[in-house]
Every structure is written in C-alpha cells, then in structure tokens.
Amino acid sequence: HGRVRVAYAADMRYVGQEHPVTVELGEAVFRKRDRQGLKRHFDDEHLQRYGTNAPKERAEIVSLRASVAGMMKKPALERIAKGGRAPARAAAAGKRNAWFGGKRYSTPAYRRDALLAGNRIEGPALIEEHASTTVVMPGDRLRVDDYGNLVLEIGQ
C-alpha cells in the first residue's frame, strides 16, 4: 500500500584500521553487486570526513544495513474477550508489599494478559506484564476497555 523506500548503508574501514566509516549507498550498488562502486563510495566518504583516503588500499565491510520505509494499511483494532466487573481468578497474581504515601499496603497484583474487557479494579493495585507494571494508586480506579486498554481514573 503506497510507495516503499529502501536505504542501504555499510560500515567500512581500511584493512588494519580500527574505526569504521558509515557509507550511505544507493540501491544500484547492491543490485549490481558493484564492489568497485562500493569502494569508491567508501573512499569518497573517507576523504570527506578525514580529508584523506587511500583508493589503492583494501577495505573491509564491518556491517551492512538496509532500512525500509513505506505506508501500510492501518491494522484493524481487535476487541478482547468480555468479562465481568471483577477480574477472573486467573488474573490474580497474588499480593505485593507496596508503599504509598508513607504507608505500607498489601497490594493485589493482576496479570494484564488475563484481564478482560469490563474488568474494574480499585486502587491500590499493580497490573503486571512482561515489560512493565502499571501502578493504580489508592483512590484511583482502573477499567479495561473493549480493546484491552487500561483506563485510569485518578482519585483525589
């Protein structure tokens, strides 16, 4: 859907050097497997960056990268399964000791992937998932919407 752009880059250095130079490359260099063209690009970039180059010296490729940019169709939003007002027992992940405003609470924790649309949770609570934890402060309220978003209402 739409036009796609591909950009190529190589990190190269003269054999025996430690630090590579990034060379932006056109698609033609890759399609034609133009080794001399690749070396010329590197020599030109080295001259531009350092004021010197060595066209007769061998060079080596440290890494190659390709990046693709384009427009994609927006994916359809998927609704999650509906549940009751209270989270199912399968969502319970036990209790955690947590401090809020200088006071310790035995705080219920929930597995986010087990929460269902319509579930509501009063703070304090912790919603755990593999990469983060959502903290529901005392007095806050959480609602799981039809798409699995956690909607927080901040209390006083």
Side-chain angles (χ1 to χ4, degrees):
H1 180 74
R3 185 164 165 76
V4 175
R5 289 188 331 268
V6 181
Y8 298 95
D11 292 328
M12 299 179 67
R13 63 185 174 205
Y14 291 113
V15 173
Q17 283 190 331
E18 184 176 342
H19 300 289
V21 172
T22 299
V23 181
E24 303 297 328
L25 300 167
E27 188 174 346
V29 172
F30 279 88
R31 285 195 188 274
K32 294 179 183 176
R33 297 181 183 185
D34 182 3
R35 296 173 86 172
Q36 285 79 24
L38 177 60
K39 176 69 164 63
R40 275 192 307 277
H41 278 53
F42 169 66
D43 289 330
D44 292 346
E45 184 65 32
H46 201 279
L47 180 63
Q48 178 80 21
R49 180 173 276 183
Y50 297 110
T52 185
N53 65 7
K56 292 189 171 113
E57 294 293 323
R58 291 182 22 218
E60 60 188 357
I61 297 171
V62 177
S63 63
L64 289 172
R65 288 184 304 283
S67 58
V68 180
M71 298 294 291
M72 294 178 56
K73 285 176 69 172
K74 189 174 184 176
L77 292 176
E78 294 185 25
R79 294 177 184 268
I80 65 169
K82 286 205 177 279
R85 191 170 179 85
R89 273 202 284 196
K95 300 249 185 202
R96 312 281 185 262
N97 287 323
W99 291 83
F100 299 100
K103 182 178 176 190
R104 189 180 77 146
Y105 291 80
S106 179
T107 307
Y110 299 91
R111 290 183 26 240
R112 182 171 181 175
D113 63 350
L115 294 175
L116 303 173
N119 288 166
R120 295 178 184 273
I121 298 170
E122 299 281 328
L126 302 171
I127 313 304
E128 300 173 339
E129 55 187 307
H130 75 282
S132 67
T133 299
T134 301
V135 178
V136 184
M137 302 290 284
D140 293 353
R141 290 189 284 280
L142 177 139
R143 174 181 55 86
V144 181
D145 75 7
D146 290 341
Y147 302 99
N149 295 304
L150 304 179
V151 181
L152 280 166
E153 181 182 319
I154 306 300
Q156 300 293 339

